């Protein structure tokens, strides 16, 4: 009788978190912990700091998307408040993000602004659905070369989109969203470059760098925007401003209204909506992970996605853009000493106060200064050191990186991410397949001499092999479809002499159906030759997969260990 496979005692699994635990906003958690005046004071200071950073950035991102600056402020106010109030991160700051400029501009170009608002609302619904289906956990599996590649690609396109503002170029029609048509259109009007605009832009970029070197905690963007505004007013510079292009920024938010809705329109904008949802989920969870790394806290990914979805359903009602978690503003919030989500909610309220009180002054802000802000944002977004490191570290990862980067720049962001994830998955499977080792134990049987590794034949001839009719192979690593071909090829090279084959699977953490089918072929061939197959040390989960694919008695026999399998094989062979 074979010994039954023994299972070592395991600790009791932790109870699965309830729906209430998974989707309770961090705001509720913070309030439960005890929230008083000292915490409110810290959050108010952090919220004010972030609002000062977000004010020029929100307007600049909106203008880069091809819409008026108040759309960016509305996004930061509505989206930012909801993301903080209902999100799964203590420190997440929501609002318009530079990563969306390319996608938003292209969506507006294809469907008009009303179509874009509808696409954003659908994206919000998709994010809510992804969150409640608990799929947010899987977004973290997007390979690092993919995130670096699309971030660098977006940075290139954002920088190209600011040439018009930085150089003061004048286009006869709307600026194309795609990179190559954009560059071509700007090149054709290069003679319209404005010297005063170029000088102001260069000075603004230089001042941002200088302020950050003096003290990184200073609001460099706001300081530069205020300085450029005063300089253009004091010297009467002939540069384009927010007021000259868009008119006066309205005081306050517009009344909520629904975009035009029809089934045909929904189907038309659906691909763009899915792209907005995908990018929004990636960007927001990356931002939450950055905050976790800075604070040692843990966010609730699915709760965060639900909040992102709610924000993107509400923001378009007020004419806003797509909202997401923003890495730079979230990091600023952490460094400013935020305690919890109240800081993000106050940041949105401070922006609303700025809009109510100082909106008319925004008309005097030079577009060159906002272009300088986004140029610096694009430079920082490019992750140049990570890009260079991946290129030199691994050819496989370099291929994933370059494919994502080039497709993002020259084709489409969604295509870049999709192709990058697929290539990254194949690279991962290849590496996992290489980790699976198939080795022969000390007691080896005869095999084809041509296939024998160095020393194997000598071991047999020297008498160190106990029984030449029993062959023992050990498999170590995940036995999945990526490794099935290699494992099958190695095992099929076993010579015809052994009367018993023992497979030691004690080092196999899991197996899938494809690998089980490969072992089934080995078992059938072994039985056809009149030999016996023993599987030793397989865990209960691995045994279930093997049995489901047909690896059952009498085709195969299971043993708790290699020693038990050898003893059983010896007794069986002695009766023949």
């Amino acid at each position: 009788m074979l010994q039954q496979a023994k299972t070592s005692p395991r600790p009791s699994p932790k109870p699965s978190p309830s729906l209430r635990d998974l989707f309770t906003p961090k705001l509720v958690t913070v309030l439960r912990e005890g929230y008083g005046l000292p915490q409110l004071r810290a959050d108010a200071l952090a919220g004010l700091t972030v609002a000062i950073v977000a004010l020029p950035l929100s307007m600049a991102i909106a203008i880069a998307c091809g819409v008026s600056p108040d759309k960016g402020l509305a996004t930061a106010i509505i989206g930012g408040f909801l993301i903080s109030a209902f999100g799964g991160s203590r420190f997440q700051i929501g609002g318009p993000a530079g990563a969306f400029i390319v996608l938003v501009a292209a969506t507006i170009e294809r469907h008009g602004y009303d179509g874009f608002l509808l696409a954003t609302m659908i994206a919000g619904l998709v994010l809510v659905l992804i969150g409640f289906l608990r799929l947010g956990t899987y977004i973290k599996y997007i390979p690092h070369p993919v995130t670096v590649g699309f971030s660098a690609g977006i940075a290139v396109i954002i920088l190209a989109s600011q040439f018009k503002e930085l150089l003061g170029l004048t286009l006869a029609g709307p600026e194309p969203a795609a990179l190559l048509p954009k560059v071509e259109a700007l090149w054709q009007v290069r003679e319209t470059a404005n010297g005063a605009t170029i000088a102001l832009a260069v000075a603004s970029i230089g001042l941002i760098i200088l302020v950050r070197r003096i003290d990184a905690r200073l609001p460099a963007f706001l300081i530069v925007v205020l300085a450029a505004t005063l300089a253009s007013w004091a010297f009467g510079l002939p540069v384009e401003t927010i007021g000259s292009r868009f008119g006066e920024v309205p005081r306050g938010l517009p009344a909520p209204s629904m975009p035009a809705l029809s089934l045909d329109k929904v189907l038309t904008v659906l691909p763009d909506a899915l792209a907005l949802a995908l990018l929004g989920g990636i960007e927001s969870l990356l931002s939450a992970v950055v905050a976790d790394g800075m604070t040692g806290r843990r966010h609730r990914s699915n709760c965060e996605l639900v909040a992102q979805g709610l924000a993107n359903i509400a923001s378009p009602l007020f004419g806003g853009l797509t909202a997401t978690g923003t890495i730079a503003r979230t990091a600023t919030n952490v460094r400013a000493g935020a305690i919890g989500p109240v800081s993000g909610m106050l940041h949105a309220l401070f922006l609303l106060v700025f809009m109510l009180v100082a909106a008319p002054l925004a008309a005097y802000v030079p577009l060159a200064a906002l272009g300088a802000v986004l140029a610096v944002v694009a430079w920082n977004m490019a992750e140049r050191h990570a890009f260079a490191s991946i290129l030199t570290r691994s050819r496989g990862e370099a291929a994933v990186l370059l494919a994502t980067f080039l497709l993002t720049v020259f084709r489409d962001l969604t295509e870049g991410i999709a192709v990058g994830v697929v290539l990254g998955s194949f690279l991962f499977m290849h590496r996992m397949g290489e980790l699976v080792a198939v080795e022969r134990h000390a007691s080896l049987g005869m095999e084809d001499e041509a296939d024998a590794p160095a020393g194997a034949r000598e071991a047999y001839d020297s008498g160190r092999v106990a029984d030449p009719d029993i062959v023992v192979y050990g498999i170590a690593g995940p036995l999945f479809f990526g490794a099935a071909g290699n494992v099958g090829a190695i095992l099929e090279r076993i010579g015809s002499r052994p009367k018993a084959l023992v497979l030691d699977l004690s080092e196999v953490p899991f197996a899938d159906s494809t690998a089980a089918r490969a072992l089934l072929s080995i078992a059938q061939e072994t039985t056809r030759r009149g030999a016996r197959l023993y599987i030793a040390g397989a865990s209960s989960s691995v045994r279930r997969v093997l049995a489901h694919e047909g690896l059952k008695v009498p085709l195969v026999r299971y043993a708790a260990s290699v020693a038990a399998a050898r003893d059983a094989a010896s007794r069986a062979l002695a009766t023949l």
Side-chain angles (χ1 to χ4, degrees):
M1 292 289 292
L2 293 180
Q3 299 179 29
Q4 295 296 320
K6 297 179 182 178
T7 57
S8 58
R10 299 180 180 178
S12 301
K14 295 181 180 179
S16 300
S18 65
L19 284 175
R20 185 178 64 181
D21 295 331
L22 288 171
F23 295 103
T24 298
K26 284 292 185 176
L27 175 62
V28 175
T29 302
V30 170
L31 295 178
R32 284 174 179 170
E33 292 173 352
Y35 194 86
L37 189 58
Q39 290 81 5
L40 178 60
R41 188 182 300 113
D43 278 339
L45 181 59
L48 180 60
T49 303
V50 176
I52 290 172
V53 173
L55 180 63
L57 202 53
S58 299
M59 294 191 295
I61 290 171
I63 292 171
C65 292
V67 298
S68 58
D70 58 295
K71 309 297 186 187
L73 293 175
T75 309
I77 294 169
I78 301 299
F81 187 89
L82 293 176
I83 286 172
S84 294
F86 297 101
S89 170
R90 290 173 181 257
F91 307 102
Q92 185 84 280
I93 300 294
F100 279 86
I101 291 175
V102 181
L103 193 52
V104 169
T107 305
I108 294 173
E109 186 179 55
R110 281 191 289 267
H111 308 294
Y113 196 69
D114 209 47
F116 160 73
L117 294 178
L118 179 60
T120 301
M121 295 187 74
I122 296 173
L125 291 171
V126 171
L127 284 170
V128 170
L129 182 63
I130 290 175
F132 280 127
L133 291 176
R134 307 186 196 183
L135 300 179
T137 307
Y138 297 100
I139 292 180
K140 68 183 179 184
Y141 295 123
I142 292 178
H144 183 240
V146 175
T147 61
V148 173
F150 83 70
S151 295
I154 291 170
V156 168
I157 299 176
I158 291 175
L159 187 60
S161 71
Q162 295 311 298
F163 287 160
K164 178 176 180 290
E165 315 300 352
L166 296 172
L167 303 177
L169 300 174
T170 302
L171 286 171
E175 184 178 352
L179 179 65
L180 294 181
K182 180 195 301 289
V183 172
E184 183 181 0
L186 295 176
W187 178 254
Q188 290 175 353
V189 297
R190 60 190 181 278
E191 295 85 1
T192 64
N194 184 319
T197 300
I198 295 173
L200 187 61
V202 172
S204 297
I205 293 174
L207 186 56
I208 291 173
I209 297 172
L210 178 62
V211 170
R212 287 186 167 179
R213 286 187 176 178
I214 293 172
D215 191 341
R217 295 170 296 180
L218 293 174
F221 291 159
L222 185 62
I223 290 172
V224 166
V225 168
L226 291 175
T229 303
L230 289 174
S232 66
W233 173 78
F235 297 105
L237 298 179
V239 297
E240 194 172 16
T241 64
I242 288 177
S244 64
R245 181 181 295 182
F246 300 103
E248 187 175 292
V249 176
R251 288 185 171 182
L253 299 171
S257 62
M258 278 287 295
L261 184 63
S262 68
L263 180 59
D264 290 341
K265 193 69 173 176
V266 168
L267 295 177
T268 302
V269 304
L270 185 58
D272 292 289
L274 295 177
L276 290 169
L278 174 63
L279 182 57
I282 295 171
E283 188 77 6
S284 63
L285 295 187
L286 281 177
S287 178
V289 168
V290 169
D292 289 351
M294 295 176 69
T295 62
R297 298 284 187 173
R298 292 186 63 184
H299 71 282
R300 299 180 183 126
S301 57
N302 294 302
C303 180
E304 183 64 26
L305 290 181
V306 171
Q308 299 287 335
L310 295 175
N312 283 291
I313 293 171
S315 178
L317 295 177
F318 295 87
L321 303 171
T322 309
T324 187
T326 55
I327 295 176
R329 276 159 275 175
T330 298
T332 300
N333 187 42
V334 173
R335 286 194 291 264
I339 301 297
V342 173
S343 64
M345 299 164 65
L346 290 175
H347 130 271
L349 295 179
F350 283 131
L351 285 176
L352 179 59
V353 172
F354 293 159
M355 197 174 184
L356 293 172
V357 174
L361 299 178
Y364 299 99
V365 174
L367 296 179
L370 296 180
V373 167
L374 282 185
V376 174
V377 169
W379 180 258
N380 293 332
M381 184 186 295
E383 297 188 62
R384 302 173 304 283
H385 299 299
F387 197 100
S389 175
I390 293 171
L391 283 180
T392 56
R393 184 173 64 232
S394 163
R395 285 185 297 177
E397 291 188 353
V400 175
L401 172 73
L402 291 175
T404 306
F405 173 73
L406 294 174
L407 286 171
T408 299
V409 171
F410 295 108
R411 287 285 299 173
D412 179 76
L413 172 65
T414 311
E415 286 186 27
I417 293 176
V419 172
V421 168
V422 171
L423 290 179
S425 300
F426 278 117
L427 177 63
F428 170 77
M429 289 184 288
H430 172 69
R431 288 176 172 174
M432 290 293 289
E434 288 184 331
L435 288 177
V436 179
V438 182
E439 297 179 350
R440 285 169 288 190
H441 286 204
S443 62
L444 298 176
M446 282 293 293
E447 66 164 21
D448 294 334
E449 187 173 354
D451 294 326
R457 183 62 180 266
E458 289 77 8
Y460 178 81
D461 291 337
S462 64
R464 287 192 282 119
V465 174
D467 190 340
D469 290 326
I470 301 175
V471 174
V472 182
Y473 271 76
I475 301 177
L479 197 55
F480 74 116
F481 62 90
N486 291 338
V487 171
I490 292 172
L491 295 180
E492 285 171 0
R493 293 205 302 257
I494 299 172
S496 59
R497 177 168 179 166
K499 297 180 181 179
L501 171 62
V502 178
L503 296 183
D504 179 9
L505 303 189
S506 59
E507 299 290 327
V508 174
F510 70 88
D512 70 3
S513 59
T514 305
R517 297 292 297 180
L519 294 186
L520 178 63
S521 298
I522 299 299
Q524 291 170 338
E525 176 63 20
T526 303
T527 302
R528 187 187 64 79
R529 296 200 322 256
R532 295 190 176 203
L533 176 64
Y534 296 84
I535 292 180
S539 66
S540 58
S541 60
V542 171
R543 286 187 60 172
R544 280 195 299 270
V545 174
L546 300 183
H548 185 269
E549 295 301 323
L551 284 158
K552 303 176 182 178
V553 178
L555 189 62
V556 63
R557 293 160 177 84
Y558 291 91
S561 65
V562 172
R566 277 204 194 105
D567 291 342
S570 297
R571 290 195 300 270
L573 295 179
T575 62
L576 295 179

